[in-house]
Structure formats: structure tokens, C-alpha cells
Amino acid sequence: MAIYEPTDPRNGHRMYRLRSPVTLEPIGELACATAADVQAAMARARTAQPAWGARSVAERAEYMHRLADLLIAKRDRIIDTVIRETGKPRAEALIMEVYSSVDPCVFYARRAATFLKPERRRLHGVVGLLKKAVVVYKPRGVVAVITPWNGPFVLSMNPCVQALLAGNAVILKPSEVTPASGALVGDFLHEAGIPADVIQVVQGDGQTGADLIAAGPDKVSFTGSVATGRKIAVACGERLIPHTLELGGKDAMIVCRDADIDRAAKGALIGSCMNTGQYCCGTERIYVVADVYESFVQKVVAAAKQLRQSDDVDACDVGATFWDRQLAIIEDHVNDAVAKGAHVEVGGRRNPALKGLYFEPTVLTEVTHDMKIMRDETFGPIVAIMKVKDEDEAVRLANDSPYGLNGNVWTQDAARGLQLAARIETGAASVNDMAMSYAVNEVPFGGVKDSGVGVVNGPEGLRGYCHAMPIIAQRFGKGPASSYPYTAKTIRQVTQAMKLFWGSRFMRRLFG
């Protein structure tokens, strides 16, 4: 039974029936915006953006402080909405959706004016004697934010906050699997005082997302699957629309021979099973050096057997799979692994005691790289453990993947941990912790290879919602640095200048 399934169109709108992943009972309907609806939203956003962009960054930041107050005060409304659509444990809904929204909201509100202030650049050589430069960060205009179902509130709220702080108008298109959580983002931003047409939410399916890009936004921020990301990249490329794509992952965990095995086992379990394994930085491949393999597996298995899975969100560690299509992928990957020789230490099936979309927390050993579980994104509560000879083999296997979003290394040698982490072909890495980079607001977050294009978060992410415009001014005089007509004297002077300023290493140090 599908969590969202098409029904008869109504008044020109594509319609879907929505169901709870916990009970499979209906929880509402989704009416998709038409292409005309999307075009109208874009027109309103273009009209509203100049006045919003003309406000100072400090003024825009004040709205975000109000927003943070609302998120804290009305956290139960967020939690209840997210749980209704996803079945997350209450603790995870609080930590992942509320806490992780408030923290960056306050962070960027406090620092946006610094990150976006005009930046003077020192110019080198003779140019620096004659000219001065300043880079100003101008809003791009209208930003389209297209978001997924696995973090339906936080992954919609964070890009909207950053784009708005940068002075843009925003049109948010949430996932059709979790539309109410996305709608709540717009509600809170409006309640904080941001004008209605500056932040708009258009609901719908993949066609709605395509219509939004066809409407011609000035930037697209997308979080979701690789397959959809490729389609968006093509659509944006045809229209020369800047875009950031935060896509899938197959994060590797490396357990070194000197690792604290107790801590590493806990890290493996939370890294693989948090959010039911449905987050892009989930640990999906674990490479354990042979010397500590047996001890590590023993501790992971013992801890996995203690995990609680229940439809009681207040007494649960691992919740429902949010989407029936994802549950089918999880089953396929586990079945493929078992058929090819993997051993199921714990779990390995749908939970027969629960009505909804529950897959048991699972530990697999004897896995190999010819299995889907070690190649393709699983997005489920699966701990897949592979024995390796040494750390070098672990790094080689970690890099044997089309994905590169995050990774983690476990060792008691801090310097060695940094060296190994730097060797992993990935967007970011952690040492002695699960993937942390998205939660660290000071740093950029983005993937390499099939895991994405561009970065979000950090000063770089905030500035990515702007056009960095350099302005060059003369220090002295009122005329151009050179003028017509070109003569033999022009050529002689330029040639002499090249020899003077760069003809020796000494002069290069002065003017280079």
C-alpha cells in the first residue's frame, strides 16, 4: 500500500491520498499546484523581492530571531506534524527537526551581517597601487528550494532561512510524501513576520518541481536523490540557473586496530540506524581491521539486540520507514546480500509484530562489494560490516564508490585519524564520531562524485545565495588605466613593465 497514491484529479489539480507509515491509515490529501499556480507564485515573488532585499541584513536577521522564539515555543506542533507523516520517535523529531532548525537559525541571524558585509580585497602588484576593490554580496532574486521527505521540516527550514537572510524571495516545494511538514515551514516564517509573497510554499509532485524550475528562478537549492538531482541539473543547465545539489551518500566508517571498540560500536549503531537510517550522511559501509573485527561485531550485535522498535513514538529507538518505496529498496538490498553470502546477525526482515512500514534494525556480516548493500544507497537501519586487512585496504574500499558525501574514522591516534580521514574521497569526514558536518554551522556541507554539486551551510553556503559582485575603483586620477591609440610605445612600455615587475624572483616577491 502506497504512502501517497494518485487519485482522480480535482479542479485541474493532480490529487494524492496520503497514509501514515505507522498505521497505513489515511491522513489527508495533497492537491498539486498547476503550472499556472507556480508561474503566479513566481510573479508574486519577483514583485515582493526588491523591497525585502532592500532591507538591511540586520533587519532580516531580526525576523529570524523571532522565528527561533516561535520554534522553541511551538516545538510540539512541529514534532506532532512530523511524527504524523513519518513515524519518527519523538526524541528524534525533537533533536533532528526542532533543535537542528533552531541552532542554525540563531547562528546565521547572529552572523549574517558579518558574512555578507562588503569585503575589501587587497590587490597585488602595480594594480594594488593604482586601484582598490570591494566585493558586495547581492541577493540573486528568487530562490527555488526543493526538499526531501527524510528531514521534512529541518531540510526545508534551513535553506529557506539562509536564502531569506541573503535577501532573496523563496518558493519552497516540499516532498509530496511529507507536505504538511513543509507547509509548516511557511506558516512559521509568516508568523515571524516575513511577508507572504517573500516566502511561498507550492505543494506537489515531481512535475510541480519541474514546473518550478521552468518558471525561471534565479537559483535552485535541491536536496534529494541522485536520479532527481541529475534531472534538475539538466533543467538548470538548459536555463543557465545556478544550483546546489545535496544528493545521496554511501558513507564509509573505518575502524582502526587501535580504536576504542566500545565507542566505535555505539557510533556504528547510531550512525547506521538514526532516523531509521534515512539520512544522507548515514553510515552504510563499515570496514573493520581484522585485529579488532570479532570484538567489534560482538559489541554491535549485543547493542543492536537492545534497540526498541515500536509504533509508540515515546518508547522507541528505531521508527518506521517513511516511504513504502524505500522499504522495498531496503528489502531488496538485504535479500541480495543474503543470497550472495552475507550473514544476518540481527534482524533482516520487516517487523512482523507491527502493522506499518517497519524494518528491523539489522546487522550484516560477511558482506562484499559485489552486493547492493555495499554499492547502492540503502537508506535503512542496516549495519553492514566488512573485515579488512588493514587501514590502507579500508581506505581503498571506502573510495571504491560513486558516492562521496561523508565518512568517519575511529582511532585513538588523533594525528593518524586526521590523515586517514583526509584520504577518503568524500565531501567531509569525522574522527571518532558519526557524520557531523551538516550540524556544524561554521563549515560548508556538500558532496563529491555522485553526492552533489556545490555546498550549503557555513559562510560559503550563505554567500551561495548571493551574487558576489566585485567593484574596482581607481585610487588616483579619473581616466582609464590605458587608452587608444595603440602604438609602438604601448608595446614597449608593457614589455618593459613585465621585465621590471616579474623578471626576477626578487621582484616577483614584491609585485606578485
Side-chain angles (χ1 to χ4, degrees), residues 208-440:
T208 310
D211 291 340
L212 180 54
I213 295 173
D218 300 293
K219 170 153 185 182
V220 173
S221 172
F222 171 75
T223 305
S225 70
V226 174
T228 303
R230 291 186 189 279
K231 295 177 182 178
I232 288 175
V234 169
C236 289
E238 290 175 343
R239 296 166 176 81
L240 298 179
I241 299 172
H243 54 281
T244 55
L245 307 175
E246 196 276 281
L247 308 179
K250 193 72 181 173
D251 288 7
M253 173 178 178
I254 297 174
V255 182
C256 301
R257 58 174 48 87
D258 68 339
D260 181 325
I261 299 303
D262 288 321
R263 289 181 61 194
K266 292 176 181 177
L269 212 56
I270 189 73
S272 300
C273 296
M274 187 184 77
N275 209 47
T276 320
Q278 298 167 122
Y279 68 111
C280 56
C281 296
T283 298
E284 297 216 359
R285 301 175 290 149
I286 302 176
Y287 303 102
V288 184
V289 171
D291 295 354
V292 295
Y293 176 82
E294 296 299 336
S295 174
F296 177 81
V297 170
Q298 183 180 29
K299 290 182 182 297
V300 169
V301 169
K305 289 179 177 178
Q306 301 304 311
L307 290 177
R308 301 169 301 167
Q309 187 170 61
S310 167
D311 54 11
D312 180 354
V313 297
D314 294 304
C316 180
D317 299 312
V318 180
T321 301
F322 307 163
W323 192 15
D324 56 320
R325 294 185 191 178
Q326 197 61 48
L327 182 57
I329 292 171
I330 297 167
E331 287 185 306
D332 176 59
H333 286 193
V334 171
N335 292 339
D336 172 78
V338 171
K340 293 175 179 175
H343 185 259
V344 178
E345 304 283 351
V346 180
R349 60 178 183 171
R350 292 195 190 205
N351 193 321
L354 297 172
K355 180 178 181 181
L357 305 180
Y358 290 87
F359 197 91
E360 295 176 334
T362 297
V363 179
L364 296 177
T365 56
E366 307 300 326
V367 295
T368 63
H369 269 224
D370 66 345
M371 301 173 182
K372 294 178 182 179
I373 204 78
M374 297 296 278
R375 294 199 321 266
D376 303 333
E377 188 174 38
T378 305
F379 232 52
I382 313 299
V383 186
I385 308 172
M386 183 174 179
K387 183 192 297 185
V388 296
K389 179 179 64 176
D390 54 25
E391 289 84 354
D392 288 337
E393 183 182 20
V395 171
R396 179 180 64 78
L397 290 170
N399 292 338
D400 182 21
S401 172
Y403 296 97
L405 191 57
N406 259 263
N408 47 94
V409 175
W410 296 76
T411 174
Q412 296 186 72
D413 184 335
R416 174 74 165 150
L418 291 173
Q419 291 172 355
L420 288 170
R423 290 171 57 191
I424 304 175
E425 296 168 357
T426 187
S430 300
V431 177
N432 293 332
D433 206 342
M434 55 182 285
M436 287 295 297
S437 58
Y438 189 84
V440 179

